Amino acid sequence: MKLRKAASFAIALTVVTGLLAGCSKGNSANGAVKEEKGETPAAEQAAKDVKLTFFNTSAEVNTVFEELFKKYHEQNPQVTIELIPTPIGGAQLEKFQSLLASGNPATIVNLDAGTILQYKDDFLDLEPEKAKYEALTNPGAIDGALLDGQFLGIPWTAQGYGLLYNKRAVEEGIGGAFDPASVKTRDDLEAVFKKIEASGKAPVMLHGADWSLGAHYLGLTYSLQSQKVEDNRKFVEELKNGQVKLTENPQFTGLMDTFDLLKKYNARKSDPLVADYNRDSADFAKGAAAFYFMGDWSWAVIGTLEGRDADFGILPLPVSNNPEDFGNTQVAYSEPKLFAIDDSKSTPEQQEAAKAFIEWMVSSEDGQKAIITDMGLSMPYKDLKAKSTNVMSNAVSEYVKQGKIINIGVINYLPQDYWAKTGAAMQKYLVGNIDRQGLAQEVQDYWKSYAGK
Amino acid sequence: MNKKLSLKNAGTFLVFGGPSIFAFAAVVIIPFIVGLYLTFTNWDVRTGDSSLIGFTNYLEVFRDKVFLQQLWFTLKYVFFTVVIANVFAFFIALALTRGGRGEQWLRTGFFTPNLVGGIVLGYLWQTLFSQVLPYLGAKYGWELFQTSWLTNTGTAFWALIIATAWQLVGYLMIIYIAGFTGVPNDVLEAASIDGAGRTSVIRRIILPLTVPAIVICIFISLSRSFLTYDINLALTKGGPFNSTELATYHIVQKAFLSNQYGVGQAEAVVLFAVVAIIALTQSYLLKKLEVES
């Protein structure tokens, strides 16, 4: 009897201490990794197995990445890569932060450039790799990826946005061939819209989500100030200090005048905030609306759609009635996601393996095929070994080749909540809850709350 | 002897209670204490810097007008959710304890939404509100459903309540059913012999005798609806223009989107205090109404 009690007590004690030990073990292991860092010669480790983790915020292409990891593992059996997926459109940043805070960050991350900048101390400086990537990519691609002048992340995808158009819908609306170059000003655009409306079609689809309105639409205010990202950053600083009155800023007023136009001819006029991305994209792709303020990434939805039209293109968003003004002939363009390598907990051999893997991903035939064909993205790289089926990104590429782009790099330096907060103000404006003055006020108030930060 | 006995008891307790205590400490108590500590610092995950700054974060909470607005919004939301969910659950439970046919099926049916995760449920209702109902509204000319409920500040509020209540009803119903089966049959028989009608039986016998179930149900619905996050995220994402952000949603945004962990955590502590005070007060007051049969 006594023995049983003693035994049960002992078991309980082992269970509890075991659990506690299990808890602390993780910590000490992490500590060990840190101590090890820099001491073990890389060469000695090279033959050993390396395990990498890959944190992915491009959630819609999780499976393509996983296939790539498998392929790479077949070619390089000593390297295993594990995907840390995130859900589409939610809690991505939260997950990244909790991994970091728990001392368990991913070796490679695929993150927004702005996020990498915020955590720049945790990422490896890729300066030694810069020359190699400059040779691999299109001119300007690496410059566009620099964050505060530092090369912290490798660009692998490029995106552009503006006024997408459905060629068939536009041509049926205006009753003739459509030449995108004929729209150089806001009035030109309105003339086209009028014709389309008269034919009984909806002229334009305006997606009512805060990210589209806040980051892509209103965000152009900052990028349109100048061709130089530096100047645009200065403009944002002036907004924070309250030195700028938006209602007196020609770029802002021009943009909002165009917005009024889109609002007037919006296919979702009766219920503008519905913001169902799949439905809006599908309606546009099937010709229910002739134009769509969106980017080439919508191909992921449109490309596989049944019964869609075949010909699409992109127009710059006209922001004034002077065809010479900056923005009227340029489409917004950026390298939104970068691959970066962790430098807080990863071992040198992990980092070396990560570098090799990323290079393989962006330069090998397998990698490029996966990115261009399977993901439907465009890459800012030279001599691509795969042909893109994304009609829209091909249209964007034409503008890139001619140098007709708005560099929207300033968004990398903006606080993370700007699109949600200013997007909400734009939504209010869209449904007529506030007027132009009120919108300017709310946006200015938002920036002032970041004064000195 | 006594010493031995207490040691023995401690051993038995550890065997059965130890793992739960450990789990509870690991996922509730320790995070709570760490969280409390966090509210007194200016910790930033990006730099890892952290220093003690006293009550600054709490002052910030009361200066954050948006949070106070959203706390008020949450209170309204909780009030309607609790009332609607409990009234429905009570009467559904009443209807399903009369011994009719197919009762078990109906009970299962009403309970099912509770098994569906909040995110899935939110998306489900989102499709209903933003596509199915407007479609029907346009087809049959119903004014009420012409536009999506989720794009209007007022209707989005009710959409949120309907979705939450719908999920809660099944769970509360089970508790009410358990409460009703605890009402002694002889009391009910005596009442019917005395000629009491259905309403007076409910008012004078069933209601007083099921106070314990009501206390539990209100407590559960209160705490659950105060902490609603998933449905809020999936159904409205706080929109249109942040007008349906519940307190929890605001806290998560504050911490993770605006990178103000200390303030966000302090707001979470304030929310915790509000929930604790309201839930404890209601159960204390209602418990006084309990009667013996």
Side-chain angles (χ1 to χ4, degrees), chain B residues 166-189:
Chain B
W166 188 67
Q167 186 186 31
L168 268 173
V169 160
Y171 193 74
L172 302 178
M173 175 196 75
I174 298 289
I175 300 173
Y176 280 122
I177 288 175
F180 294 153
T181 43
V183 176
N185 255 331
D186 47 349
V187 183
L188 292 174
E189 270 167 28

Side-chain angles (χ1 to χ4, degrees), chain A residues 93-310:
Chain A
L93 219 51
E94 286 88 326
K95 192 158 176 181
F96 171 72
Q97 288 171 343
S98 65
L99 284 173
L100 196 65
S102 64
N104 195 21
T107 333
I108 309 172
V109 296
N110 168 35
L111 279 179
D112 293 1
T115 314
I116 291 174
L117 179 70
Q118 286 204 329
Y119 296 90
K120 60 178 175 186
D121 298 338
D122 292 314
F123 292 114
L124 192 66
D125 190 353
L126 297 169
E127 195 61 34
E129 307 276 303
K130 197 170 153 189
K132 183 162 69 189
Y133 280 98
E134 265 171 346
L136 281 172
T137 53
N138 290 339
I142 296 304
D143 274 344
L146 295 185
L147 298 165
D148 265 341
Q150 262 186 307
F151 187 43
L152 294 167
I154 297 159
W156 62 281
T157 164
Q159 289 185 336
Y161 69 85
L163 271 179
L164 306 179
Y165 65 87
N166 181 329
K167 197 157 179 261
R168 180 188 62 87
V170 178
E171 292 187 341
E172 277 180 21
I174 60 174
F178 176 60
D179 173 21
S182 67
V183 179
K184 293 192 188 75
T185 63
R186 189 185 305 121
D187 286 348
D188 293 345
L189 187 67
E190 181 157 25
V192 175
F193 279 2
K194 267 196 182 136
K195 274 189 199 161
I196 294 170
E197 194 176 49
S199 78
K201 267 204 180 68
V204 64
M205 181 74 68
L206 189 54
H207 186 62
D210 50 5
W211 51 267
S212 181
L213 296 174
H216 298 161
Y217 201 95
L218 185 66
L220 284 175
T221 311
Y222 321 123
S223 314
L224 281 174
Q225 297 300 325
S226 151
Q227 310 244 28
K228 283 203 196 109
V229 176
E230 276 314 303
D231 294 342
N232 295 336
R233 286 179 73 181
K234 256 182 230 148
F235 175 74
V236 173
E237 283 311 309
E238 285 170 5
L239 263 173
K240 289 181 185 170
N241 302 333
Q243 290 165 345
V244 174
K245 277 197 100 171
L246 280 175
T247 45
E248 288 164 12
N249 182 274
Q251 280 85 352
F252 175 78
T253 48
L255 258 179
M256 293 319 293
D257 286 343
T258 306
F259 191 73
D260 289 344
L261 186 69
L262 300 185
K263 198 170 135 180
K264 189 172 157 198
Y265 292 98
N266 184 7
R268 297 273 182 261
K269 216 181 329 190
S270 63
D271 202 2
L273 297 182
V274 162
D276 187 321
Y277 176 60
N278 287 325
R279 208 173 121 212
D280 285 1
S281 305
D283 280 2
F284 162 72
K286 290 177 182 171
F291 291 88
Y292 187 21
F293 178 72
M294 198 45 73
D296 52 12
W297 57 84
S298 63
W299 192 253
V301 174
I302 292 173
T304 55
L305 209 66
E306 267 181 49
R308 66 167 167 88
D309 287 313

Side-chain angles (χ1 to χ4, degrees), chain A residues 5 9, chain B residues 2-15:
Chain A
K5 252 139 252 168
F9 184 73
Chain B
N2 247 343
K3 217 177 182 181
K4 251 187 197 167
L5 195 72
S6 64
L7 196 71
K8 190 174 91 182
N9 281 343
T12 324
F13 176 76
L14 264 186
V15 171

Side-chain angles (χ1 to χ4, degrees), chain A residues 47-123:
Chain A
K48 279 192 187 170
D49 286 352
V50 187
K51 190 168 171 276
L52 307 176
T53 47
F54 183 93
F55 183 83
N56 183 28
T57 54
S58 303
E60 61 282 358
V61 291
N62 273 338
T63 44
V64 185
F65 274 123
E66 272 181 326
E67 287 300 316
L68 264 185
F69 300 162
K70 259 186 229 155
K71 229 174 237 167
Y72 190 71
H73 182 66
E74 277 162 21
Q75 297 173 15
N76 304 273
Q78 80 283 7
V79 183
T80 323
I81 305 154
E82 189 193 315
L83 181 82
I84 304 176
T86 58
I88 293 179
Q92 300 185 326
L93 219 51
E94 286 88 326
K95 192 158 176 181
F96 171 72
Q97 288 171 343
S98 65
L99 284 173
L100 196 65
S102 64
N104 195 21
T107 333
I108 309 172
V109 296
N110 168 35
L111 279 179
D112 293 1
T115 314
I116 291 174
L117 179 70
Q118 286 204 329
Y119 296 90
K120 60 178 175 186
D121 298 338
D122 292 314
F123 292 114

Side-chain angles (χ1 to χ4, degrees), chain A residues 246-452:
Chain A
L246 280 175
T247 45
E248 288 164 12
N249 182 274
Q251 280 85 352
F252 175 78
T253 48
L255 258 179
M256 293 319 293
D257 286 343
T258 306
F259 191 73
D260 289 344
L261 186 69
L262 300 185
K263 198 170 135 180
K264 189 172 157 198
Y265 292 98
N266 184 7
R268 297 273 182 261
K269 216 181 329 190
S270 63
D271 202 2
L273 297 182
V274 162
D276 187 321
Y277 176 60
N278 287 325
R279 208 173 121 212
D280 285 1
S281 305
D283 280 2
F284 162 72
K286 290 177 182 171
F291 291 88
Y292 187 21
F293 178 72
M294 198 45 73
D296 52 12
W297 57 84
S298 63
W299 192 253
V301 174
I302 292 173
T304 55
L305 209 66
E306 267 181 49
R308 66 167 167 88
D309 287 313
D311 283 337
F312 299 93
I314 189 165
L315 275 187
L317 186 80
V319 290
S320 72
N321 276 326
N322 175 7
E324 305 297 316
D325 280 354
F326 176 46
N328 286 350
T329 46
Q330 286 90 348
V331 295
Y333 179 78
S334 73
E335 289 148 0
K337 302 267 180 186
L338 304 178
F339 291 137
I341 300 170
D342 172 68
D343 195 30
S344 62
K345 290 282 195 287
S346 304
T347 59
E349 52 274 14
Q350 276 179 322
Q351 291 177 346
E352 284 310 312
K355 279 183 198 164
F357 171 66
I358 293 174
E359 196 184 332
W360 177 83
M361 221 171 2
V362 294
S363 60
S364 74
E365 196 178 337
D366 283 337
Q368 294 191 341
K369 263 194 183 145
I371 294 169
I372 294 171
T373 315
D374 300 341
M375 301 186 192
L377 301 171
S378 59
M379 294 182 75
Y381 283 75
K382 287 180 196 159
D383 3 289
L384 296 174
K385 299 166 189 87
K387 191 113 184 71
S388 172
T389 54
N390 185 338
V391 178
M392 287 164 192
S393 70
N394 289 342
V396 171
S397 300
E398 286 307 308
Y399 282 90
V400 177
K401 269 183 209 152
Q402 297 170 35
K404 289 180 173 176
I405 52 165
I406 305 169
N407 184 349
I408 57 169
V410 63
I411 59 167
N412 295 339
Y413 303 95
L414 304 183
Q416 305 241 325
D417 58 358
Y418 86 98
W419 57 269
K421 297 281 169 72
T422 57
M426 284 293 280
Q427 287 183 326
K428 284 185 195 169
Y429 182 77
L430 180 58
V431 295
N433 196 304
I434 49 174
D435 60 3
R436 182 83 62 90
Q437 188 68 42
L439 171 71
Q441 196 59 48
E442 280 203 18
V443 175
Q444 281 168 196
D445 285 349
Y446 167 76
W447 286 113
K448 273 185 206 154
S449 76
Y450 272 97

